[in-house]
Amino acid sequence: MSGIYWGLTVMDLMAQLPRMNRPEIVDFIKSCQHECGGLSASIGHDPHLLYTLSAVQIQCLYDSVDALDVDKVVEYIEGLQIKMPKQEMLNRRQFQADLATPLILVTMLFCFSEIQKRIRTTCGFIFWT
């Protein structure tokens, strides 16, 4: 999935994206989405945060985000976050590792044009509000 994203990005930069088989790529990505909402690297693989991000970015390149179940993708990412009280967060190494999850979520929500609606409820714990 990540290789497809980088390959398509290069094609887009060279104004050659239309040469790629859009319907086949969009169908492949849809077939990689799991019940949990996450996407896998390929058919038959387990979902992963990185491949989910790559899939969303590909769908953004093709302006076909609606081909994914957006709510399920957001639920999947939200479920990966480690939630802990403010005082514990400041003392845990785990917090550093968990920073990637909300940052990737923010990127995806931006792609989904859902950022204004969801940023407060999804990532509010980062800002301790």
Side-chain angles (χ1 to χ4, degrees):
M1 191 67 67
S2 299
I4 295 170
Y5 167 71
W6 288 110
L8 291 175
T9 300
V10 168
M11 295 300 283
D12 191 37
L13 288 171
M14 296 186 306
Q16 299 298 313
L17 191 58
R19 297 181 81 183
M20 305 307 292
N21 189 336
R22 180 182 191 254
E24 187 177 327
I25 293 168
V26 170
D27 286 343
F28 171 74
I29 292 170
K30 286 183 349 187
S31 68
C32 291
Q33 187 166 23
H34 293 255
E35 285 291 319
C36 66
L39 287 103
S40 56
S42 188
I43 298 165
H45 292 240
D46 292 332
H48 189 275
L49 179 64
L50 179 61
Y51 304 129
T52 302
L53 175 61
S54 294
V56 169
Q57 290 172 315
I58 293 166
Q59 299 295 57
C60 287
L61 278 174
Y62 279 130
D63 195 29
S64 60
V65 172
D66 57 329
L68 295 173
D69 185 339
V70 174
D71 289 330
K72 282 285 203 181
V73 172
V74 173
E75 286 175 23
Y76 171 72
I77 304 300
E78 286 176 335
L80 296 176
Q81 295 180 108
I82 300 169
K83 304 217 178 182
M84 49 186 128
K86 176 182 172 181
Q87 61 273 20
E88 283 185 41
M89 251 189 229
L90 295 174
N91 298 322
R92 289 204 160 184
R93 287 182 162 194
Q94 216 172 8
F95 176 66
Q96 293 174 335
D98 193 50
L99 271 179
T101 305
L103 294 175
I104 289 173
L105 176 61
V106 168
T107 302
M108 283 193 242
L109 291 176
F110 182 79
C111 290
F112 292 146
S113 301
E114 295 273 323
I115 193 110
Q116 293 296 333
K117 183 165 66 173
R118 300 205 187 209
I119 188 76
R120 216 56 172 143
T121 56
T122 303
C123 298
F125 76 96
I126 295 173
F127 307 107
W128 300 306
T129 59

